[in-house]
Amino acid sequence: MTEQDEQPPFLYVVVCAAGIAAGVGELIAAAQERGWQVGVIATPLAMNGFFDTAAVEAQTGRPIRFGWRRPGEPRPFPQPDAVVVAPATFNTVNKWAAGIADTLAVGTLCEVAGLGVPVAVLPCVSATLAGHPAYQDSLIRLRGMGVRLGSPHDGGEGAEFGWERALDLLG
């Protein structure tokens, strides 16, 4: 393979249903500026108006994935070189840590644990939910799996999410 034939690295961005998800285009733009191709996988709830899906598809040049593909259908994205989960909700963090792969987004996160690719997470969880023992246990389990966790965001209005922190966690 020549240098011309090499593809840029591919980043999966997993988007969960949090109000801050409306800004995911900032993460995509920052990733593209750093040379990543980006494919977005969203939780089913996130697809219900939490971000501008048409704008994200235009920005990435790819459809957003949120449902399972049928047997025999080709994979729409290449294997990831890295994964970012932003914003990561209480529900997604807990299901992922417990291995409950009931959506494409969480199923993908469960699968990448075995691929050895870097995974960065920017949680968006209220202080009340962040104090729940199950959430704390989930963070411990994810860290044990090698997941790189950013500091949590409480979802408050006007607070800066800092999307690029996820890319910085990847190294």
Side-chain angles (χ1 to χ4, degrees), residues 60-130:
T60 64
R62 300 176 182 275
I64 296 167
R65 295 196 58 212
F66 61 93
W68 302 100
R69 64 186 171 88
R70 295 195 168 143
E73 287 182 345
R75 291 185 177 271
F77 296 161
Q79 289 286 18
D81 295 291
V83 178
V84 167
V85 187
T89 59
F90 177 84
N91 193 43
T92 294
V93 167
N94 287 323
K95 288 194 314 183
W96 176 19
I100 301 170
D102 64 343
T103 66
L104 176 64
V106 180
T108 299
L109 294 173
C110 289
E111 280 186 349
V112 298
L115 292 176
V117 298
V119 180
V121 178
L122 295 182
C124 185
V125 177
S126 71
T128 307
L129 287 175

Side-chain angles (χ1 to χ4, degrees), residues 35-70:
W36 292 94
Q37 288 185 44
V38 179
V40 173
I41 301 171
T43 64
L45 288 176
M47 293 296 291
N48 291 330
F50 281 86
F51 66 103
D52 185 338
T53 57
V56 164
E57 287 181 343
Q59 190 175 14
T60 64
R62 300 176 182 275
I64 296 167
R65 295 196 58 212
F66 61 93
W68 302 100
R69 64 186 171 88
R70 295 195 168 143

